[in-house]
Amino acid sequence: MEGPWVGTWRPHPRQGPILAEFGTPGPKYRLPGTTGHTAHDPTKYRAPAYTFRGSKCPATDSCSPGPQYLIHPSITKTGKQVAPSPLVTSRPKTKIAVTPGPSDYTTEPANRHVYYTAPVQSMVSRPKDLKPFQTPGPTTYTLPRILGPNTICTHANPCYSMMGKSQYQSAFQDLAKTPGPAAFGRVEMDVYKKRAPKYTM
């Protein structure tokens, strides 16, 4: 027989035996868990685990004494807040004894830049050189030659020269002073011809 309603459902009689009625060793033998990070089943894939770390403990150097000291109400986070109070002091002393007056300045050069004026030509003397120039004059430089074989910037054509007649074996030369056939050493024929074989014992 079914019992009274409990909320949205009503309990009913059991259909068979339950495990609590049998004498078993209980949860003594069990498989490793598949959830969590500690003692996870090594045969199963373990997802990455994340933890929520708490806030760090404040350091002793940053600890304030708290509201045990009485702070004046005019002290704020930007400093002391007070009304402006100018001080009445004497005029500071200056080192300049005499200052220029309005008549010491002239505005004529400035008027030429402010107001439109016609162009004005003026003649002045040539300024004197404080130090003479050490630059070379026009006669110091020489132009390179443009004729002959030794030219720099132009193309040189072939040059020919005329020489005197050679006195070698001429009628005006003393043939007795020329060397004869015996004046030269004998040249071995093995130098310019095929050398014959030689045998030694």
Side-chain angles (χ1 to χ4, degrees):
M1 180 178 182
E2 298 179 355
W5 287 85
V6 179
T8 58
W9 64 282
R10 185 168 54 181
H12 59 277
R14 63 181 182 178
Q15 301 296 331
I18 60 178
L19 295 178
E21 297 177 350
F22 299 95
T24 59
K28 182 178 180 181
Y29 306 100
R30 62 185 182 87
L31 296 175
T34 57
T35 59
H37 185 75
T38 306
H40 191 273
D41 190 356
T43 61
K44 302 296 182 180
Y45 175 76
R46 186 177 65 186
Y50 303 94
T51 58
F52 291 92
R53 187 181 300 274
S55 60
K56 296 182 179 180
C57 297
T60 57
D61 300 338
S62 63
C63 293
S64 60
Q68 64 177 350
Y69 299 102
L70 179 61
I71 302 177
H72 197 270
S74 62
I75 302 298
T76 62
K77 64 178 182 179
T78 57
K80 188 176 181 181
Q81 184 179 5
V82 293
S85 55
L87 301 178
V88 180
T89 58
S90 61
R91 187 175 183 179
K93 296 181 180 180
T94 57
K95 296 182 179 180
I96 303 176
V98 180
T99 57
S103 61
D104 293 337
Y105 302 96
T106 176
T107 59
E108 293 180 0
N111 294 336
R112 301 174 61 181
H113 298 279
V114 176
Y115 303 104
Y116 176 77
T117 56
V120 179
Q121 308 296 335
S122 60
M123 297 180 62
V124 296
S125 61
R126 185 176 182 180
K128 295 182 179 180
D129 298 331
L130 300 179
K131 188 176 181 180
F133 295 101
Q134 301 295 332
T135 55
T139 58
T140 309
Y141 303 97
T142 57
L143 296 176
R145 54 185 301 179
I146 58 176
L147 296 177
N150 300 325
T151 58
I152 298 177
C153 56
T154 57
H155 178 70
N157 293 325
C159 301
Y160 303 96
S161 60
M162 299 179 63
M163 299 179 59
K165 186 178 181 181
S166 176
Q167 297 294 330
Y168 179 71
Q169 293 183 357
S170 63
F172 304 98
Q173 187 179 9
D174 189 4
L175 298 179
K177 296 180 180 180
T178 58
F184 302 97
R186 180 174 175 271
V187 181
E188 295 292 337
M189 298 179 61
D190 297 339
V191 176
Y192 57 92
K193 289 189 176 183
K194 187 176 180 181
R195 185 177 62 180
K198 296 182 181 180
Y199 303 97
T200 58
M201 295 180 64

